[in-house]
């Protein structure tokens, strides 16, 4: 997690146009729990299963990961920053996302979670060793909270380019030639999850893990029914952290949408994207700059069709900021860049997608015809 101490200035609100034109109306969701069980410090890593670890490793190196550990059955990926790994891929029959692992601030947090949820603290096989507790969120997704006493050491960084801006000339008698090479991943930034039970899942992460909302999105004409997407950050008090570590949105599916990995700067994103394109990988959407979170982005598909994002220059918020509120729309996803693609939106029709929608509409969840039509309208606006 990127973090920066801030001074003790008075709390700002979105009504002061700090990061959103709209703030909450009376009675709307406050975006945080009054008395959470614990407050997680960060997202530790993501867990996947894939049948071909060799192919997964080739993509990982091309995307910019370093290898933390490799066995016959497990592949641990990391960034250049010291700390925990970014991802573990275990050999399995099919490619699937297992769930996220969040980092506990202290070992005692695992015991507090165990008492509150009736779970058990267990040892985990992670480079350096550690312990964890595993729970199910309301969507049925396994969620780990981990504590690792040993941290991975930092690796050499991909240096940022020296830029000339306006009348500030930091580079003279020298050229810019960023190498065509993988964007060197620094760290895991966030994961986006889809759920059919948005309100219950949101409250679970706030109540159980102590996370807080940076921005809510709502459907046009349906604000009274509550938000349908939330960008959620960890709460480290006056220490400013990533605008979102987790994002949740209502939809017919359940589980992984994409994950995001920080790199040095825009040139690292662009040169790394050229490297990926030359090797035949598919860009899903980019390059552009988001609105919520402000980060530069570039989205790619791996050989198993999972979406991964390179990002740089994201917003950092302390606990003082209230949630912003904005209408959900496809055009509202970026400040600049190419038009959002159907692939990124998951809007390409398929028999599996149609079955997913029909199952959701028949189930006991928050996706009804009005919500579905509102989501379809938002993604075409």
């Amino acid at each position: 997690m990127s973090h920066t101490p801030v001074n003790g200035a008075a709390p700002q609100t979105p009504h002061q146009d700090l990061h959103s034109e709209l703030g909450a109306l009376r009675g709307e969701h406050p975006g945080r729990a009054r008395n959470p069980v614990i407050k997680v410090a960060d997202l530790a890593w993501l867990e996947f299963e894939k049948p071909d670890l060799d192919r997964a490793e080739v993509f990982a190196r091309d995307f910019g990961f370093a290898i933390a550990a490799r066995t016959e059955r497990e592949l641990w990926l990391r960034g250049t920053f010291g700390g925990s790994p970014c991802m573990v891929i275990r050999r399995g029959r099919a490619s699937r996302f297992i769930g996220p692992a969040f980092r506990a601030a202290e070992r005692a947090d695992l015991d507090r979670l165990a008492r509150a949820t009736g779970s058990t603290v267990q040892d985990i096989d992670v480079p350096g060793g550690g312990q964890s507790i595993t729970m199910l969120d309301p969507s049925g997704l396994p969620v780990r909270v981990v504590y690792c006493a040993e941290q991975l050491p930092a690796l050499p960084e991909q240096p940022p380019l020296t830029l000339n801006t306006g009348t500030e000339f930091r580079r003279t008698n020298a050229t810019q030639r960023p190498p065509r090479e993988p964007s060197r991943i620094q760290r895991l930034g966030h994961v986006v999850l889809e759920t059919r039970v948005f309100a219950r899942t949101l409250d679970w992460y706030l109540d159980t893990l102590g996370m807080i909302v940076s921005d809510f999105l709502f459907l046009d004409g349906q604000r009274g029914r509550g938000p349908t997407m939330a960008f959620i950050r960890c709460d480290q008090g006056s220490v400013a952290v990533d605008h979102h570590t987790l994002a949740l949105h209502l939809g017919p599916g359940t589980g992984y949408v994409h994950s995001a990995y920080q790199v040095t700067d825009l040139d690292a994103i662009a040169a790394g994207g050229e490297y990926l394109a030359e090797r035949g990988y598919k860009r899903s959407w980019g390059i552009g700059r988001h609105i919520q979170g402000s980060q530069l982005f570039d989205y790619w598909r791996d050989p198993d069709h999972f979406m991964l994002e390179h990002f740089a220059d994201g917003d950092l918020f302390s606990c003082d900021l209230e949630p912003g509120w904005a209408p959900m729309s496809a055009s509202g996803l970026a400040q600049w860049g190419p038009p959002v693609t159907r692939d990124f939106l998951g809007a390409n029709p398929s028999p599996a997608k149609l079955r997913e929608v029909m199952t959701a509409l028949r189930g006991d969840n928050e996706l009804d015809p009005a919500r579905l039509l509102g989501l379809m309208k938002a993604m075409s606006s």
Side-chain angles (χ1 to χ4, degrees):
M1 173 182 295
S2 183
H3 52 85
T4 304
V6 297
N7 59 32
Q12 305 266 7
T13 75
H15 302 285
Q16 293 168 300
D17 201 25
L18 180 65
H19 73 279
S20 175
E21 294 182 2
L22 302 177
L25 302 176
R26 183 181 296 274
E28 287 188 315
H29 199 298
R32 61 186 70 197
R34 289 186 177 182
N35 188 29
V37 179
I38 67 167
K39 293 184 178 183
V40 292
D42 200 357
L43 188 60
W45 62 76
L46 304 178
E47 302 189 5
F48 292 84
E49 284 185 357
K50 295 185 178 185
D52 191 338
L53 293 189
D54 291 334
R55 184 175 71 169
E57 182 175 345
V58 170
F59 173 80
R61 292 183 183 276
D62 288 342
F63 194 73
F65 290 105
I67 308 303
R70 171 72 197 266
T71 68
E72 182 181 350
R73 301 200 58 81
E74 288 188 343
L75 173 63
W76 287 89
L77 307 178
R78 61 161 298 175
T80 58
F81 286 4
S84 64
C86 295
M87 183 187 299
V88 57
I89 305 173
R90 298 185 177 93
R91 191 181 304 278
R93 293 183 179 179
S95 295
R96 67 189 186 106
F97 176 63
I98 303 301
F102 292 87
R103 179 167 61 86
E106 54 186 29
R107 170 60 182 80
D109 284 342
L110 299 186
D111 295 325
R112 279 190 282 272
L113 274 177
R115 289 192 297 270
T117 63
S119 304
T120 303
V121 178
Q122 297 180 325
D123 293 333
I124 51 173
D125 185 15
V126 59
Q131 293 182 302
S132 78
I133 186 170
T134 302
M135 304 162 287
L136 295 179
D137 75 8
S139 297
L141 189 71
V143 177
R144 284 189 194 263
V145 177
V146 303
Y147 182 79
C148 301
E150 294 187 26
Q151 300 294 302
L152 298 172
L155 298 177
E157 288 291 332
Q158 189 172 27
L161 294 188
T162 302
L163 302 179
N164 290 331
T165 57
T167 58
E168 183 179 348
F169 306 123
R170 300 172 56 206
R171 190 187 77 256
T172 59
N173 296 329
T175 60
Q176 295 280 38
R177 301 292 185 270
R180 190 72 60 84
E181 63 182 7
S183 305
R184 205 171 304 174
I185 300 299
Q186 294 175 324
R187 65 185 179 93
L188 168 62
H190 64 258
V191 63
V192 179
L193 302 175
E194 183 174 354
T195 174
R196 300 170 185 172
V197 286
F198 173 82
R200 279 187 281 158
T201 304
L202 169 65
D203 286 344
W204 186 87
Y205 282 97
L206 306 191
D207 294 338
T208 309
L209 304 186
M211 306 183 82
I212 56 180
V213 175
S214 298
D215 281 290
F216 283 118
L217 301 184
F218 58 88
L219 296 178
D220 184 38
Q222 297 187 33
R223 182 167 180 173
R225 296 189 63 184
T228 51
M229 186 165 188
F231 296 88
I232 311 164
R233 67 189 186 276
C234 298
D235 181 1
Q236 291 200 18
S238 62
V239 175
V241 302
D242 290 330
H243 170 272
H244 56 285
T245 302
L246 169 68
L248 296 172
H249 73 77
L250 176 66
T254 297
Y256 182 89
V257 178
H258 77 258
S259 52
Y261 304 86
Q262 180 177 290
V263 300
T264 299
D265 58 14
L266 178 59
D267 279 277
I269 291 176
E274 292 297 306
Y275 184 91
L276 288 168
E278 288 173 351
R279 279 149 184 78
Y281 298 109
K282 179 185 176 183
R283 174 179 271 124
S284 180
W285 182 36
I287 298 171
R289 186 180 283 276
H290 279 306
I291 294 178
Q292 279 78 24
S294 302
Q295 64 265 49
L296 298 161
F297 66 82
D298 195 21
Y299 294 91
W300 293 84
R301 294 283 185 180
D302 77 359
D304 297 285
H305 206 61
F306 289 108
M307 191 190 303
L308 293 87
E309 174 190 1
H310 285 142
F311 81 93
D313 189 33
D315 291 337
L316 302 175
F317 285 6
S318 68
C319 71
D320 302 314
L321 271 68
E322 298 176 9
W325 288 72
M328 178 181 285
S329 69
S331 60
L333 293 173
Q335 300 177 45
W336 57 261
V340 63
T341 64
R342 293 180 62 84
D343 178 73
F344 176 82
L345 296 174
N348 290 324
S350 68
K353 177 62 70 175
L354 292 175
R355 286 194 299 271
E356 196 173 62
V357 170
M358 295 305 298
T359 299
L361 289 175
R362 290 195 297 264
D364 180 17
N365 55 64
E366 298 168 30
L367 193 74
D368 55 34
R371 284 301 219 190
L372 178 62
L373 289 174
L375 287 169
M376 294 172 63
K377 179 181 177 183
M379 292 304 96
S380 62
S381 62

